[in-house]
Amino acid sequence: MTNLGERIWVGIDAGKGHHWAVAVNADGETVFSQKVLNNEDEILQLIATACEAGGEVRWAVDISGRASALLLALLIAHSQQVVYVPGRTVNRMSGAYRGEGKTDAKDALVIADTARMRRDFAPLATPPELVSELQLLTAHRADLIADRVRLLNRLRDLLLGICPALERAFDYSGSKGSLVLLTGYQTPAALQRIGIKRLTTWLERRMVHSAADVAARAVEAAQTQQTALPGEKRAAKLVCDLAHQLLALDQRIKDIDREIRETFRTDDRAEIIESLPGMGPILGAEFVAIVGDLSTYKDAGRLASHAGLAPVPRDSGRRTGNHHRPKRYNRRLRHIFYLSAQTAMMRPGPSRDYYLKKRAEGLRHTQALLSLARRRVDVLWAMLRDKRLFTSASPVTQAT
């Protein structure tokens, strides 16, 4: 039994329908182990049980997403200290515990015991309402983009079975006119019958830009094929349906982009973030959704490490000075800085000058971009720290 006043650690393996909680004392002995439904009453009862079992309670979870949102909100609202134990760490530690099978109870025990032995895990806090909104909006946008890629790949595959030349004629990923075309005409025979002039008129009525060019390219592609392929009629109907779905999806993405911009620009930091060349409102919103208020980052180096842009040493024996990208980093945060660097280096200015300098030093394109992305972490950090807009002058760094 645990004496009153002794600290205990409660590890929680979080799930959608229920969580499993295991508490251990300072000696690593199990105090209690129980299943908890993911509802308010049972979570509050768990908090009460833990507080009764020990004088000081420390909580640890392996998921900080939507599945654990209610759990974390209640813990933080009741002034409980919570840390996040990464799933990778839990998986590595599991091998040192009894039992070959993977169970919720075992995972919860590993989480609790790992939190007991280590003190370097990041504490969790309830994100501000704005950050939560941006997290939801940007995640939903990512889902829509993934849906668009899947539908587009399916459409192109079907077009290959109808007319390969027509599939090659357009960049369907960025051409609204080509998708409008496919809502009415999908086969070589149909395009040949209507001809360029009538097809141009048809497209113009549907507000397609450069209708004449779209019509000419489509009919030209159709004229290279006189053979109707097997299953063409059914494939044409499916292409038509996919084209309609893609056009509707593009409108949904456009709407959510507007909502993201409007929400992001209510943040006091939005103007500062957007002033950095290459960092538009969508990337800026994703940045805020990931990093929050930056309070969990001690300095720019910590932020760069989270983005996988700060190499860590990998020395062994006599081999020293070896560095590599950290295994634990946020890939989306890295992508944000990479994309913004890619955009910025295409325009005249400090970013392009720095990129060209790195290329002159012998770095490959990707290496130079990553070096630029790392530099931009420092610049953005200094801008947010000093609450000032971007200028071409180098930021003044503070000693830490």
Side-chain angles (χ1 to χ4, degrees):
M1 291 294 293
T2 298
N3 297 323
L4 189 64
E6 183 179 346
R7 177 181 294 182
I8 66 170
W9 289 261
V10 183
I12 300 179
D13 182 57
K16 294 180 181 179
H18 71 272
H19 313 306
W20 199 285
V22 172
V24 297
N25 60 21
D27 297 321
E29 300 169 337
T30 300
V31 178
F32 65 78
S33 177
Q34 66 183 76
K35 180 179 180 180
V36 182
L37 288 178
N38 191 10
N39 67 46
E40 187 166 338
D41 289 342
E42 292 220 10
I43 293 173
L44 290 175
Q45 183 57 49
L46 170 65
I47 295 173
T49 300
C51 291
E52 291 172 1
E56 188 176 0
V57 185
R58 294 287 186 271
W59 301 79
V61 298
D62 65 337
I63 296 177
S64 59
R66 309 312 296 180
S68 59
L70 177 61
L71 170 69
L72 294 176
L74 290 172
L75 287 172
I76 293 169
H78 286 76
S79 303
Q80 301 297 302
Q81 297 186 43
V82 193
V83 297
Y84 169 63
V85 179
R88 185 191 296 271
T89 301
V90 176
N91 292 336
R92 284 203 304 264
M93 295 291 292
S94 292
Y97 292 77
R98 286 185 179 180
E100 296 182 1
K102 181 185 184 322
T103 65
D104 294 344
K106 179 181 177 181
D107 285 347
L109 173 61
V110 173
I111 294 168
D113 217 23
T114 302
R116 176 181 68 88
M117 294 183 290
R118 291 178 54 175
R119 300 291 187 272
D120 58 335
F121 294 120
L124 293 174
T126 302
E129 185 67 20
L130 175 66
V131 174
S132 294
E133 289 183 10
L134 289 176
Q135 288 173 347
L136 290 170
L137 289 170
T138 54
H140 184 53
R141 183 182 189 274
D143 289 340
L144 294 180
I145 296 296
D147 289 343
R148 190 181 194 280
V149 171
R150 178 181 58 82
L151 291 176
L152 194 59
N153 288 339
R154 180 60 179 151
L155 179 141
R156 300 194 78 120
D157 185 62
L158 287 169
L159 271 181
L160 278 174
I162 298 175
C163 179
L166 183 59
E167 189 274 336
R168 295 192 302 268
F170 299 100
D171 175 16
Y172 296 97
S173 62
S175 173
K176 178 181 177 181
S178 60
L179 292 176
V180 173
L181 168 74
L182 293 179
T183 62
Y185 301 92
Q186 308 85 26
T187 66
L191 288 166
Q192 291 168 18
R193 282 195 302 269
I194 190 171
I196 295 177
K197 186 175 180 180
R198 286 195 296 158
L199 182 56
T200 298
T201 302
W202 186 88
L203 291 169
E204 287 176 341
R205 289 173 179 170
R206 286 156 181 80
M207 308 301 291
V208 171
H209 295 294
S210 303
D213 180 59
V214 173
R217 291 169 64 184
V219 174
E220 181 182 352
Q223 288 173 343
T224 66
Q225 181 175 323
Q226 305 302 320
T227 304
L229 302 182
E232 181 183 88
K233 290 184 179 180
R234 178 59 62 185
K237 290 181 179 179
L238 293 174
V239 166
C240 175
D241 181 57
L242 287 172
H244 280 293
Q245 289 186 54
L246 282 164
L247 288 170
L249 193 54
D250 285 345
Q251 185 58 51
R252 292 177 62 191
I253 294 172
K254 183 178 179 180
D255 291 341
I256 200 166
D257 281 354
R258 183 183 66 253
E259 191 172 356
I260 289 173
R261 283 195 300 271
E262 292 173 353
T263 304
F264 169 63
R265 285 171 177 167
T266 63
D267 191 308
D268 294 338
R269 299 166 295 173
E271 186 180 6
I272 296 173
I273 294 171
E274 283 195 76
S275 73
L276 181 65
M279 188 68 83
I282 302 300
L283 289 182
E286 292 193 50
F287 172 77
V288 172
I290 293 171
V291 306
D293 61 2
L294 287 176
S295 61
T296 58
Y297 303 94
K298 181 180 178 181
D299 50 36
R302 296 291 179 89
L303 178 60
S305 178
H306 190 201
L309 294 170
V312 295
R314 182 168 57 184
D315 299 336
S316 177
R318 296 180 180 179
R319 297 178 60 188
T320 60
N322 296 308
H323 292 78
H324 69 106
R325 188 172 65 200
K327 293 182 178 179
R328 287 172 48 192
Y329 66 94
N330 188 297
R331 282 164 173 75
R332 188 58 201 165
L333 185 58
R334 176 187 174 88
H335 194 56
I336 289 168
F337 280 108
Y338 184 87
L339 284 180
S340 68
Q342 189 174 47
T343 301
M345 76 84 183
M346 296 175 69
R347 308 169 184 169
S351 291
R352 181 166 181 79
D353 294 342
Y354 184 84
Y355 168 82
L356 293 175
K357 174 186 173 183
K358 290 300 176 182
R359 289 304 305 272
E361 292 174 359
L363 269 62
R364 296 192 298 270
H365 170 70
T366 300
Q367 293 174 323
L369 272 181
L370 288 174
S371 180
L372 173 59
R374 173 63 182 88
R375 179 180 177 86
R376 287 164 61 84
V377 172
D378 291 339
V379 173
L380 182 58
W381 175 270
M383 290 164 56
L384 292 171
R385 180 199 66 199
D386 300 338
K387 297 181 180 179
R388 62 180 176 81
L389 301 179
F390 173 81
T391 65
S392 58
S394 300
V396 178
T397 57
Q398 290 183 347
T400 56

